[in-house]
Amino acid sequence: MFADTSAGYTKYERGSYQNDEDLGNFNLMVGLDRLFDLGCGNLTVGGFFEYGLGYHSGRAEADRVLGGIIPVHGSQKNEFTSQNFGGGLFAQYNSPDFGPGHFYADGAFRMGAATNSHKSDSDASVTALTTGTLNLDTRFDSTRLYVGADFALGYVWEPVEKLAVNVYGRGSYLFLGDDSGTVHSNSKGTGPVFGNQAYNASASYGYRFDSLNSFRLRPGARVSYAATNWLTPYIGAAYEYDFTEADHFYQPTVNARDVQPDLSGSTGILEAGLYLRPLKSLSVNLGAQGYVGNQSGIAGLLSVGLSF
């Protein structure tokens, strides 16, 4: 039996859609596994239940000139909170020694439900003869089926004692089902553009998310050194290409379709951290990552694993 928990925080910029974004996450996995000696290596198989909690906050600002004469400044803040409940199966194979190291392969399949609560707060100020402000507040909740798969192939090369170089290729696939519901919005305005009177209006309308397919590939390498029996520092680098298609948010009531930001593109990743094993049944990974390219930013990670 095993239990793994991890928490992370990421701050990055992504293109022109968001000026900055903050992401926080917590994940818990509990499961059973069993090791089999195959004679030509060993195989570990098991099953697990998982729970995840996430928070995502993004803010964007832009200045526009309407009709060539009316300056407009706009800002938008989006907040998402999400949870996922699910389970899956996994397997990992380690080959016998092959040269100064060994090959490995692993994979996992998972399925569950992902819930999301969204809040958007938009402000616009017009500075001209029609000086005024407008605020639009929208909220909605959604629940979507998720199905995912992860796989990896790699070789751990040990050129000298205590030093290991893990060269790998990883891939992940995620499917999110469609969903529909109701968006609740409230708008407020002030200024001459509203007849010098406070403007207040509320509305509700239907929405629909189309299904989404996400696929990522990540080749990379990690170098680690076993400084002591319980302390192993590491550094690594990877390249990731995200094939994720744009998410489609459709409002049939007003016949409007909003295409969410296209997440596809290339990202370079650098990492460094410490792997601690103070007890045979306890492992801790404390690390940091930096991103450049399609995603630009930094991330911190803390994970703790227990085996029984």
Side-chain angles (χ1 to χ4, degrees), residues 93-109:
Y93 170 76
N94 289 286
S95 76
D97 289 344
F98 187 87
H102 70 277
F103 289 96
Y104 68 89
D106 62 60
F109 171 83

Side-chain angles (χ1 to χ4, degrees), residues 229-247:
N229 292 333
W230 58 272
L231 174 63
T232 303
Y234 65 84
I235 58 172
Y239 165 83
E240 181 176 271
Y241 191 86
D242 193 336
F243 296 87
T244 302
E245 60 189 25
D247 207 357

Side-chain angles (χ1 to χ4, degrees), residues 109-133:
F109 171 83
R110 51 174 39 88
M111 182 170 63
T115 62
N116 182 71
S117 178
H118 171 260
K119 175 184 177 182
S120 177
D121 190 6
S122 303
D123 293 288
S125 59
V126 183
T127 55
L129 296 177
T130 56
T131 300
T133 62

Side-chain angles (χ1 to χ4, degrees), residues 33-45 90-98 101-107 152-158 166-167 170:
D33 60 356
R34 185 171 180 180
L35 176 67
F36 296 92
D37 186 351
L38 305 179
C40 57
N42 60 71
L43 176 68
T44 302
V45 296
F90 71 91
Q92 181 178 39
Y93 170 76
N94 289 286
S95 76
D97 289 344
F98 187 87
H102 70 277
F103 289 96
Y104 68 89
D106 62 60
L153 294 171
Y155 181 78
V156 179
W157 176 42
E158 299 174 330
N166 181 6
V167 181
R170 293 190 174 276

Side-chain angles (χ1 to χ4, degrees), residues 163-180:
L163 181 67
V165 181
N166 181 6
V167 181
Y168 63 85
R170 293 190 174 276
S172 64
Y173 169 77
L174 177 66
F175 168 82
L176 282 175
D178 57 7
D179 184 45
S180 59

Side-chain angles (χ1 to χ4, degrees), residues 2-162:
F2 66 89
D4 291 304
T5 182
S6 64
Y9 171 78
T10 306
K11 185 177 184 65
Y12 64 83
E13 297 180 356
R14 190 203 300 271
S16 60
Y17 176 76
Q18 299 281 12
N19 295 129
D20 58 78
E21 296 187 58
D22 297 276
L23 291 85
N25 64 80
F26 170 81
N27 297 283
L28 174 66
M29 180 184 295
V30 178
L32 297 172
D33 60 356
R34 185 171 180 180
L35 176 67
F36 296 92
D37 186 351
L38 305 179
C40 57
N42 60 71
L43 176 68
T44 302
V45 296
F48 61 87
F49 293 100
E50 63 180 1
Y51 167 75
L53 176 65
Y55 173 78
H56 178 185
S57 174
R59 184 174 181 85
E61 295 190 20
D63 292 294
R64 297 288 187 270
V65 178
L66 300 181
I69 57 173
I70 304 177
V72 177
H73 176 79
S75 65
Q76 182 180 43
K77 182 178 181 180
N78 294 301
E79 294 183 354
F80 299 85
T81 56
S82 61
Q83 296 185 78
N84 67 277
F85 304 86
L89 303 171
F90 71 91
Q92 181 178 39
Y93 170 76
N94 289 286
S95 76
D97 289 344
F98 187 87
H102 70 277
F103 289 96
Y104 68 89
D106 62 60
F109 171 83
R110 51 174 39 88
M111 182 170 63
T115 62
N116 182 71
S117 178
H118 171 260
K119 175 184 177 182
S120 177
D121 190 6
S122 303
D123 293 288
S125 59
V126 183
T127 55
L129 296 177
T130 56
T131 300
T133 62
L134 176 66
N135 172 265
L136 178 63
D137 181 12
T138 60
R139 293 177 172 84
F140 67 84
D141 299 313
S142 69
T143 300
R144 305 169 77 175
L145 167 74
Y146 73 85
V147 178
D150 305 279
F151 61 89
L153 294 171
Y155 181 78
V156 179
W157 176 42
E158 299 174 330
V160 295
E161 186 179 3
K162 298 185 177 181

